[in-house]
Amino acid sequence: MNEPIIRFEGVVKRFGELTVLDHLDFTVDPGEKVTIIGPSGSGKSTVLRVLMTLERINEGVVYVDGEPLWHEQGAKGLEPASEAHLRKMRQKMGMVFQHFNLFPHMTVLRNLTEAPRYVLGLSPREARQRAEELLELVGLSDKAEAFPSQLSGGQQQRVAIARALAMRPKIMLFDEPTSALDPELVGEVLRVIRSLAEEHELTMLLVTHEMDFARRISDRVCFFDQGRILEQGPPEEIFSSPKEQRTREFLHAVL
Ligand code: ADP
Ligand code: MG
């Protein structure tokens, strides 16, 4: 068996008095497609934000790809992570948020080539070639020279997915990627995510309220409640015969 690519061990995250992650244990295997569902405020976004090192944790350890996120091996054992270590760890992951966060003053093409050029050191030609392949993947080859404001929300979100993929992450994190979209634009974004889910190597962690979608693409569904995983399993099990009362209530409310 492979080592998990993501491992939360006894992770506690508090905001003041509020405990948002409550001794969370959570693992994801390489290549696994995991969906997180659960009520608002249950800590779903916090899990992704901790992985992206956007939030520090109060207790516990998070490992990504075999290394602790917030610490690194120094001369005298584990030491607090340097900025270089955090950057290296962040680069293993690409994140897509509810809001698209594209650079508004750059064309679609430059949105996709900027980080590969200046962070990964790709040549302009290599970066452009990679960007063009990704635009084709998300069905937006004809929009390379457009600015984000000239695109629909669904198109912007597809660019955001392509931009995250341009850094060749091992892990893709999606935080309610379709929640801010008009209903008629949801399908085009889900289709792109679905095509990624067919890639064997890519690890995916997705927070969504699209239950039908979660059922179709996930290897495993985790129901979060009050900063912990209350219940998890294959989608058919969680959606058809949840064991916990709170899972049943949640599904009843959203389905
Ligand atoms: P979810 O994504 O499941 O809706 P979150 O992980 O975003 O939940 O948030 C969990 C809880 O933490 C919520 O009660 C939220 O209000 C709180 N929270 C999130 N970020 C902050 C913050 N920066 N400061 C204070 N409270 C926060
Ligand atoms: Mg959230």
Side-chain angles (χ1 to χ4, degrees):
M1 228 4 241
N2 279 329
E3 274 289 293
I5 194 165
I6 296 172
R7 181 198 289 277
F8 282 61
E9 273 181 16
V11 171
V12 175
K13 171 65 185 171
R14 299 187 201 93
F15 289 110
E17 301 279 277
L18 183 70
T19 300
V20 175
L21 299 180
D22 186 8
H23 298 92
L24 176 67
D25 295 319
F26 175 53
T27 61
V28 178
D29 288 332
E32 200 180 13
K33 322 299 182 221
V34 175
T35 302
I36 297 177
I37 62 171
S40 178
S42 58
K44 306 182 298 297
S45 295
T46 302
V47 166
L48 302 190
R49 292 175 54 80
V50 164
L51 283 168
M52 288 307 282
T53 70
L54 297 168
E55 305 284 359
R56 285 195 164 269
I57 57 176
N58 299 98
E59 291 174 35
V61 196
V62 178
Y63 296 92
V64 175
D65 205 13
E67 287 185 80
L69 196 54
W70 295 106
H71 292 88
E72 63 188 306
Q73 204 62 46
K76 290 175 249 152
L78 281 187
E79 295 172 2
S82 63
E83 196 42 54
H85 176 79
L86 291 178
R87 210 176 313 122
K88 181 186 84 179
M89 299 304 282
R90 261 181 233 129
Q91 270 184 31
K92 297 173 187 289
M93 295 170 275
M95 180 152 173
V96 176
F97 299 85
Q98 185 171 347
H99 294 281
F100 329 119
N101 311 102
L102 297 175
F103 305 122
H105 58 292
M106 291 183 194
T107 64
V108 165
L109 190 69
R110 262 197 75 203
N111 264 280
L112 267 59
T113 54
E114 201 71 0
R117 280 191 63 191
Y118 297 106
V119 180
L120 301 183
L122 263 58
S123 73
R125 217 183 113 258
E126 289 168 321
R128 191 187 173 99
Q129 191 180 348
R130 185 180 291 190
E132 285 169 352
E133 286 167 15
L134 288 167
L135 285 177
E136 191 170 331
L137 180 81
V138 301
L140 291 171
S141 296
D142 56 332
K143 299 292 184 194
E145 298 306 325
F147 284 89
S149 60
Q150 297 170 312
L151 304 179
S152 73
Q155 290 171 332
Q156 289 186 51
Q157 194 60 307
R158 286 187 279 152
V159 174
I161 294 169
R163 188 179 60 175
L165 289 169
M167 297 295 282
R168 301 264 161 98
K170 289 186 167 187
I171 302 169
M172 279 291 283
L173 308 173
F174 294 92
D175 194 0
E176 300 193 31
T178 59
S179 298
L181 297 175
D182 291 334
E184 74 273 21
L185 303 177
V186 168
E188 64 189 63
V189 173
L190 293 183
R191 269 193 294 283
V192 168
I193 299 173
R194 187 173 191 179
S195 72
L196 292 182
E198 284 159 11
E199 286 191 25
H200 184 67
E201 307 262 293
L202 187 68
T203 303
M204 274 174 48
L205 186 52
L206 167 76
V207 176
T208 188
H209 294 293
E210 299 283 341
M211 297 299 157
D212 283 341
F213 183 70
R215 184 191 286 254
R216 276 185 281 134
I217 69 147
S218 315
D219 298 315
R220 174 157 56 100
V221 174
C222 299
F223 177 70
F224 267 63
D225 190 49
Q226 301 183 346
R228 289 171 178 247
I229 298 173
L230 185 64
E231 175 164 16
Q232 59 181 322
E236 55 277 17
E237 204 174 293
I238 298 295
F239 291 118
S240 307
S241 47
K243 293 188 184 67
E244 300 289 336
Q245 179 64 18
R246 288 189 65 90
T247 316
R248 283 198 289 272
E249 284 166 7
F250 174 78
L251 290 173
H252 191 72
V254 297
L255 284 176

